[in-house]
Amino acid sequence: MKRILLSHGAGGQEMFALIEQVFQRSYGPSGVSRDDSAIIELAGGNLALTTDAYVVSPIFFPGGDIGRLAVAGTVNDLLTAGARPAVLAAAFILEEGFPLESLQAITDSMHQTAAEAEVNIVTGDTKVAPRRAADAVFITTTGLGAVLRPGLSGAAAKPGDKIIVTGSLGDHGIAVMLARENLLGSDNIRSDVAPLTEIVLRLLEAEVEVHALRDPTRGGIAATLNEIARQSQVAIEIEESRVPVRPEVAAACEVLGFDPFAVANEGKMVVIVAASDANRALGIVRDCRYGREAQLIGEVLPAPAGRVHCRTPYGAARLLEMPTGELLPRIC
Amino acid sequence: MKRILLSHGAGGQEMFALIEQVFQRSYGPSGVSRDDSAIIELAGGNLALTTDAYVVSPIFFPGGDIGRLAVAGTVNDLLTAGARPAVLAAAFILEEGFPLESLQAITDSMHQTAAEAEVNIVTGDTKVAPRRAADAVFITTTGLGAVLRPGLSGAAAKPGDKIIVTGSLGDHGIAVMLARENLLGSDNIRSDVAPLTEIVLRLLEAEVEVHALRDPTRGGIAATLNEIARQSQVAIEIEESRVPVRPEVAAACEVLGFDPFAVANEGKMVVIVAASDANRALGIVRDCRYGREAQLIGEVLPAPAGRVHCRTPYGAARLLEMPTGELLPRIC
C-alpha cells in the first residue's frame, strides 16, 4: 500500500505528482488551479467568507467521512450568511505514513459532496507533518459565496420570531463518538452530515422572512441558541417535546451522560423566521431532501435578554445554558 | 501559565472566551465576525482566492514566527495573481497544553503583519487536538483579493522575457532549519518572511509588463522556475553568479549539503517581465523596502520546453532540476 511521505509535502517532484494523481483526478476535469491562487468570477455585491479546520476522529464514520464533513460544514456556514456557496479552497495537513488510498477516498468524497452542494473546489494546499506531529489528516476548508439576502445574522432575531430545526438532533456527535470508542458494532446511528443548500436556497428564493440561520455544530443547539440570544439581546424559549431526537440517540445520550441538545450536528439548520412566515417556511423545509423531519420548536421573546429556556412536558421551564467543559472533542 | 484545554475547542463557553480574549483583542477594534461567515464588500471583477496550511517547526525562529509566516505567505500568493490582497481567514489547530501566551504572541504578530500588508483578518476557526495528535499549532490562512491585472500566470512566460528575483535566496529555509536543530546559537541567519505588497502593487501601478509572478517557497527557485518552464512550455536560463545568496547562507548550505536554489524563501518574488520593461521593473523593485537587493538573474528562451539551465561562472550550463526528496520538512 502506498503511503504519504515527507517528500509529498516538500514542494518538489513528488508533491506535483500527488496533486496530479489525487487532487486533480478527484476534483474533476476542470481541476484546481496550477497557480498559487485561483481566479474566480463572482457578480458584484457582498460576499460571504468562512473557514473551518476539520480534525474529526475517526476520519471515516457511519454516515460520512472527514471529506464530506469538510465540504458540508463549510457550505452550511456560507448558507447561514444568506449566501449561495460558490467556491471552496481545501488545505490538507497529512501525517507521514497516511495511506494514499484513504486520501483518495476522502478527496472523492469531497468531490461528490461538492457536486451535491453545487460548489467547485478551486484551490488547495498540501503539507506533510512527520509521524506523531499530526493525526492522520486535518483539512481546512474555506468557502466563498455571493450574498443573496443581506442582513441575516445571529444578531437579527426579533421577539415574536419562530424557531425551526430542520431535523433530528445529536446524530453526528453520537455517531462519531460511538465509532471512535468502538462502542457499537452496528451502524444504527449515522451522522447527518450533509450540505443544506437546497433548504436554504429554497427559503430565500421563496422570499420567506428569515432573520437568522445557524448550523448547530459544536455545542449543539444549546450553544447555537445561546449565541443567538446573546447576539440579538433576546430570550429564546423552546419546547422540549417538540425537539426531534431519535430514540437511539436519546438512549445513547442517556447511557453516556450527554445532553442531546449540546451534541454536534452537521446536517441541520436552526432557522429563525418571522412568525407570519413560520408555517410556510416549515412546509418548504419539509419538502427538501434533508428537511423531512423539520419541526417548529419554539420562539423568540423580548426578555430576559441572553437567556434560553426549555419548557418540559410537565410545564416547567429549565434554563438551557451555554455548554461548558470538554463536551465531545474532535467531533468535527 | 495558562494553557489551551480541549474545552477551548469544544464550541461552548470556553471557546467564546478564547475568541474574545485572544483573537478579538489581537485582530483589532473592528474584530472578526461573530457569525459563522464574514461579510465583505469587494468591487466587481475577478477575485483571487488562495489557501495555505502552515506547520513550521519551530513556531518562533530568527526573523519571524508562524503568525507572520501565515499572513505573509498567503498575501504573497494573492500578489502572484496580480491581486490586491483584501481579507484573510485564519483557522487554528491547537495542541492541548499549548501556552496561551504563545498563542497571544502569534495572533499579535499576525495582526502586525496584516497591518503592514494592508489586509484584515475577518474570520477564523479554532480547533483543539489532544496532546500528541498535533504539534503545538498549525494555522491555515486563506486570502481573498481583487485582481488588478488579469492574466498573470506561471503559464504566461514568453521567450525573451527577463527574470528578476527581489533579493537574496535561501534565508528562510536555512534560518528555520538551524533554529530547529539548534545548530547555531546566534541569529546571524534570519528568515526573510515578509509581505511583498509594496513591490507587486508598485509594479502593477506603474503598468510594467509583468507576465508571471511567483514566490519561491518550498523547493526554492529551482521548483518555481521549473514550474513556470513547464506551465509556459519554455526554457529558462539563469546565471549563477547573478543570483544573490548571502555568504553565511551559502556556507550553511555547503556544510549541510543543501542547494540554496532549492531552499524555501518567504519574502521573495520571482518576477517574469517583458525585456523592454526589465530595467524599469528592477528600479521599482529596488526602491521598495524588501527589494533593495533585487537582481536580474536570467531570461526565458523558446526551447527546450520545460527545462531550466543555470550558467556557471566558467561558462558551462548545468540543468537545474525540479527538486525531489524530502528537502527541508516543516519549513512553512
Side-chain angles (χ1 to χ4, degrees):
Chain A
M1 182 171 53
K2 287 191 180 170
R3 290 180 178 277
I4 290 290
L5 308 172
L6 283 175
S7 58
H8 283 119
Q13 196 70 56
E14 295 85 350
M15 192 179 83
F16 290 100
L18 183 76
I19 292 171
E20 291 291 329
Q21 287 158 22
V22 176
F23 297 102
Q24 297 277 7
R25 202 180 84 183
S26 286
Y27 293 166
S30 62
V32 291
S33 169
R34 278 156 215 261
D35 285 315
D36 286 340
S37 292
I39 302 299
I40 47 192
E41 278 183 76
L42 282 180
N46 285 351
L47 302 173
L49 180 72
T50 188
T51 193
D52 263 299
Y54 298 90
V55 300
V56 66
S57 172
I59 55 175
F60 298 96
F61 46 80
D65 57 68
I66 190 171
R68 181 167 175 82
L69 181 62
V71 171
T74 294
V75 161
N76 292 344
D77 280 346
L78 288 176
L79 292 168
T80 65
R84 181 192 297 277
V87 295
L88 301 181
F92 287 74
I93 298 172
L94 300 166
E95 184 184 9
E96 181 189 8
F98 186 67
L100 260 179
E101 65 186 50
S102 298
L103 181 61
Q104 186 74 62
I106 289 166
T107 56
D108 285 347
S109 175
M110 290 178 76
H111 177 64
Q112 282 166 22
T113 312
E116 186 187 344
E118 295 179 27
V119 293
N120 290 310
I121 303 168
V122 293
T123 189
D125 182 47
T126 311
K127 294 289 182 342
V128 179
R131 278 176 204 278
R132 286 180 292 277
D135 186 12
V137 54
F138 302 145
I139 306 174
T140 296
T141 322
T142 305
L144 183 69
V147 176
L148 302 174
R149 172 83 66 90
L152 292 191
S153 167
K158 290 176 182 54
D161 285 354
K162 299 295 181 185
I163 299 164
I164 292 168
V165 292
T166 60
S168 65
L169 297 181
D171 302 16
H172 175 77
I174 296 300
V176 170
M177 217 277 288
L178 295 177
R180 187 192 308 160
E181 308 297 339
N182 270 314
L183 282 174
L184 282 183
S186 72
D187 281 7
N188 70 336
I189 297 178
R190 295 170 66 80
S191 166
D192 59 346
V193 56
L196 301 175
T197 316
E198 182 191 14
I199 290 177
V200 173
L201 294 189
R202 284 192 56 189
L203 285 171
L204 299 182
E205 282 158 9
E207 298 193 357
V208 170
E209 195 186 330
V210 175
H211 292 155
L213 293 169
R214 192 159 289 183
D215 53 334
T217 57
R218 286 180 287 177
I221 61 158
T224 294
L225 295 177
N226 271 285
E227 282 173 58
I228 293 171
R230 291 176 190 188
Q231 280 184 270
S232 295
Q233 285 296 297
V234 294
I236 286 176
E237 188 171 270
I238 62 172
E239 286 207 39
E240 193 175 295
S241 62
R242 291 186 171 197
V243 181
V245 179
R246 291 186 200 290
E248 57 272 28
V249 171
C253 284
E254 185 78 29
V255 169
L256 299 164
F258 292 114
D259 177 353
F261 291 3
V263 172
N265 311 278
E266 291 290 348
K268 297 292 151 42
M269 193 66 77
V270 171
V271 182
I272 312 267
V273 56
S276 55
D277 264 354
N279 284 328
R280 195 160 68 95
L282 191 61
I284 290 170
V285 173
R286 285 185 175 164
D287 199 40
C288 295
R289 177 173 174 192
Y290 296 119
R292 310 239 181 274
E293 297 167 17
Q295 293 289 347
L296 200 158
I297 63 164
E299 64 185 330
V300 179
L301 302 172
R307 292 295 184 90
V308 181
H309 285 96
C310 178
R311 199 162 283 284
T312 71
Y314 317 103
R318 66 177 171 99
L319 196 62
L320 186 65
E321 290 183 287
M322 177 68 85
T324 60
E326 296 189 8
L327 308 169
L328 288 167
R330 296 190 68 186
I331 219 69
C332 61
Chain B
M1 182 171 53
K2 288 192 179 169
R3 291 181 178 276
I4 290 291
L5 308 172
L6 283 175
S7 59
H8 282 119
Q13 196 68 55
E14 295 85 348
M15 193 178 83
F16 290 100
L18 183 75
I19 291 171
E20 291 291 330
Q21 288 159 22
V22 176
F23 296 103
Q24 297 277 7
R25 202 180 83 182
S26 287
Y27 293 166
S30 62
V32 291
S33 170
R34 277 155 215 263
D35 285 315
D36 286 339
S37 292
I39 303 298
I40 46 193
E41 278 183 76
L42 282 179
N46 285 352
L47 302 174
L49 180 72
T50 188
T51 194
D52 264 298
Y54 297 91
V55 300
V56 66
S57 172
I59 56 175
F60 298 96
F61 46 80
D65 58 66
I66 191 173
R68 181 167 175 82
L69 182 62
V71 170
T74 295
V75 161
N76 292 343
D77 279 347
L78 288 175
L79 292 168
T80 64
R84 180 191 298 277
V87 295
L88 301 180
F92 287 74
I93 298 171
L94 300 166
E95 184 184 10
E96 181 189 7
F98 187 67
L100 261 179
E101 65 186 50
S102 298
L103 181 61
Q104 187 73 62
I106 289 165
T107 56
D108 286 346
S109 173
M110 290 177 77
H111 177 63
Q112 282 164 22
T113 311
E116 184 186 346
E118 294 179 28
V119 293
N120 290 309
I121 303 167
V122 293
T123 189
D125 183 45
T126 311
K127 293 290 182 343
V128 180
R131 279 177 203 277
R132 285 181 291 277
D135 186 12
V137 53
F138 302 145
I139 305 174
T140 297
T141 320
T142 306
L144 184 68
V147 176
L148 301 174
R149 173 81 67 89
L152 293 191
S153 167
K158 288 176 183 53
D161 286 353
K162 300 294 181 184
I163 299 165
I164 292 168
V165 292
T166 60
S168 65
L169 297 181
D171 302 15
H172 175 76
I174 296 300
V176 170
M177 219 278 290
L178 295 178
R180 187 193 305 159
E181 307 296 341
N182 271 313
L183 281 176
L184 283 183
S186 71
D187 280 9
N188 70 335
I189 298 178
R190 296 169 67 79
S191 166
D192 59 345
V193 56
L196 301 175
T197 315
E198 182 192 13
I199 290 177
V200 173
L201 294 189
R202 285 191 56 189
L203 285 171
L204 298 182
E205 282 158 9
E207 300 192 356
V208 170
E209 195 185 331
V210 176
H211 292 154
L213 293 169
R214 191 158 290 180
D215 53 333
T217 56
R218 286 180 287 177
I221 60 158
T224 293
L225 295 178
N226 271 284
E227 282 173 58
I228 293 171
R230 289 175 191 188
Q231 280 184 271
S232 296
Q233 285 295 297
V234 294
I236 286 177
E237 188 172 271
I238 62 172
E239 286 206 40
E240 194 176 293
S241 61
R242 292 187 170 196
V243 181
V245 179
R246 292 186 200 289
E248 57 272 28
V249 171
C253 283
E254 186 78 27
V255 170
L256 299 164
F258 291 115
D259 177 354
F261 291 4
V263 173
N265 311 278
E266 291 290 348
K268 297 291 151 40
M269 194 65 79
V270 170
V271 182
I272 311 266
V273 56
S276 55
D277 265 353
N279 285 326
R280 194 159 69 95
L282 190 61
I284 290 170
V285 173
R286 284 185 176 163
D287 199 40
C288 294
R289 177 173 174 193
Y290 297 119
R292 311 239 181 275
E293 297 168 16
Q295 293 288 347
L296 200 158
I297 63 165
E299 63 185 329
V300 178
L301 301 173
R307 292 293 183 89
V308 180
H309 284 97
C310 178
R311 199 162 284 282
T312 70
Y314 316 104
R318 67 178 170 101
L319 196 61
L320 186 65
E321 289 182 286
M322 176 68 85
T324 59
E326 296 188 7
L327 308 169
L328 288 168
R330 295 190 70 187
I331 219 70
C332 59

